Amino acid sequence: MGLVRPTSRLWIMRFTLRPRSGCLVLCLSVSLLTLLLQSLWVPPEMTREEPAGAGRSPEEQGHHGNGVRRLALRLEALSSQVQRLARERDTPQPAKEELTNLLQSLRQDQEGLVRSVERELQRMAQKLESLGHQPHTPRPQDDHRPQTGLREVCEVPEDPVYPHCAEKVEFLQARWDSDLCYAFYGVDGTTCSILTYLSEREDFCPPHPGRNHSAPPWHQQPRTHKEKAEVRTTLRPLYEVFGGIQGPAGRFIRSRVERLSSCWIKAGHRIRENTTKTTSLQKRVLLYPGVLSGGAGQRFGAMVDQGGPLGELVQWADLSASLFILGHNLTFTTSQNHLHSVIGAAPGKGSCPIQMPLPFDLIYTDYHGLAHLQGAMGLAFQHYQCRFRILDSFGTEPAFNLGTYARSHGYNTLWGSWRLQPLQYMTMFPHTPDNSFLGFVSEEAMVEQEEREEEVEPGPYRKDNTAVVYGKQDYMWQGKERYLELISRELETHGTVYQPPGHSAQLPSNIINHGLLTQDQFLQLLRRAKVFVGLGFPYEGPAPLEAIALGCVFLQPRFQPPRSSENSDFYKGKPTTRQVSSQHPYAEEFIGKPYVWTVDMTNTTDVQETVRAILRTEVKPFTPREFTSEGMLERVHAYITHQDFCSVSFPTWPPESALRIHLGPLGQSCVSVCRRASLVCEPALFHHLNNPAVFTRLGLSCSSMDQEVDNHLFPAYSPWGRRCGLQRERLLFSCAGSDPVHRRLCPCRAHRAGQVALCPDCL
């Protein structure tokens, strides 16, 4: 009986009799005890006399003894899990009479159950004892096999190639039962089982002598996937991919893809004609919007029907359509359980690596999903993080991305410190060139559809003298009454504010409120309106571009001083130092007049004169190429074809021929320096500037060359003392950031017309 701790038997008895965990725990406990009896039961054919040890190694003989102990320990862990789940679920308790009857029934069977367990354990112990005393003649191939049975003795090896082995063994000896995944991989608390795990499932210890050894399964390369990515001409199979998305968010994503389907297919044909020489291999892609997962996902989804933010859903819908049209193999999920299944996560809390090579070439997720992946992948998370692409609406600057630097320089936030390549973060607008601009598609497809159906007159849209206000919840309107009154004097003003059942929105009396509209109804309203009016919030959403694409002028407030993490609760904590000068900086800077007018909302004269100027202006529908379906396909195809964050070498795309070196003045970021030259900063080209020869080419005489201090402003030149600084941490190459003592060396480049993400030679 030495193989099972006495406390295990006492625990079984106590657990059977404890009523306070509820009916669910009691029923599951009985099932688990039954499983234990089935595991210990020796089938009749196994009780026949057989030569002890015949054809079996000591490892195989000892397996049964360790199996009993592991089973008991797993049973304890499962019991704790069941009790926790019962508490979390708040399972209704059965009626008192029913619970009493159930307990009486269990008590009647208790004595017989315990006697059965004792008999089976004694029977197994006797068999193991007899097997242990039988002589065993090792076969030649057994000489160096690890001893994992009853006589097993393993010593922790000292190998300079594996300096952390002893530390990891000590950790698991104390904590191996803290996560079910260790027992799943065969760890039972013994040194030998821990060494086996650390050498075969992780890579912290050397392999056992004489044991076949290869890289851990999750390190191994999966079967090569060589199918070409062919542009597709239908989106119908994509709707099946969306099948698992439930609720309002899922309906929105699918309906948007369906509404734009004809536009996507046309754009796909044009892309196929222009990219025949750069056809890429089909990628296996996982899309996991973590914001839609679990309880948080249900709350986010519910907001869709109450005027909540739709920008993220727009981007997920358009990314899915882009990847599918480009011919890639997609898996889309919003379930953490499904996520664990498709990536091969071990059961438990995520302390262990996944069971197999990651079956996806790319994983698109968000900050929430990144945390879920880390919790599921264990050690494999860092191994595969080069395959992640993070949809990040407002951007993550390098100073926030590197944890050690962020903590020591005051850039630490809840959202940063993931140590990814900054270009792995993908933004909604090209406001942060340190990240990749993913974008979305304006609703220009609906314009084409109406023109085909002859629902509008040829030429410019027929516009009514009306304005539509941008703001679906009434709190956004508070304090804007005077601003709206001035606009209403010149234009009939409409709102689309959510009204809870039985309540009316608190809006000025001169506003015609339509309530929350479907996307189709909202677009119909914009088609007839002349002006789309911004209230200052929400920041940087997709709606202004959709309005401009439908022939509206966008009127928005100017922020003085600019909004930032220092003076705005919304931006506080976000991993960016951007100074936001208006509600929609992209519309102001990249589009501008006559489509976008920015005013001081508190200046009565400015507002009145601007509205009258807009009324005298005629505009046609306009969509920047980068926000058309063809422009997005072009951009996504370029990223998939050329961006490689798994290589240890410096990037080769964009090509060095695109580089234009600029030396900035004191106190300016490279974003500003390049923009003033009508160029954009390209962080992938920084490494070409990070050498002493570049300072000489620029005519700078350096008294010292600083390479010992991390600084996200480097490479840079300080005229005080003629000090030059090189960047030693490539993750800190940053277009953002400035200070009054450094002149930054900036890698600028030109861009294609209407496609800021791509240089003229990038395709």
Side-chain angles (χ1 to χ4, degrees), residues 257-311:
V257 173
E258 289 177 339
R259 188 168 59 252
L260 295 175
S261 59
S262 61
C263 192
W264 284 117
I265 292 168
K266 280 187 174 183
H269 285 301
R270 292 192 289 268
I271 288 292
R272 181 165 53 187
E273 294 171 0
N274 297 331
T275 59
T276 52
K277 296 181 180 179
T278 58
T279 302
S280 59
L281 293 177
Q282 185 182 76
K283 302 290 186 182
R284 294 159 298 185
V285 182
L286 172 65
L287 297 120
Y288 177 65
V291 72
L292 298 181
S293 176
Q298 293 175 359
R299 291 189 294 273
F300 184 91
M303 292 174 63
V304 173
D305 289 337
Q306 300 175 17
L310 298 177

Side-chain angles (χ1 to χ4, degrees), residues 215 247 280 288 375 425 462 484 500 534 545 569 620 735:
S280 59
Y288 177 65
Y425 298 99
R462 184 177 68 249
L484 291 169
L545 267 72
D569 289 338
K620 295 181 179 180
C735 292

Side-chain angles (χ1 to χ4, degrees), residues 397 400 409-411 413 539 561-580 737-738:
E397 294 173 6
F400 297 85
H409 290 77
Y411 294 102
T413 73
Y539 303 121
R563 305 283 167 85
S564 70
S565 59
E566 296 179 355
N567 61 13
S568 167
D569 289 338
F570 181 84
Y571 285 105
K572 189 169 294 182
K574 289 185 168 56
T576 177
T577 59
R578 282 199 303 134
Q579 302 285 316
V580 180
S738 64

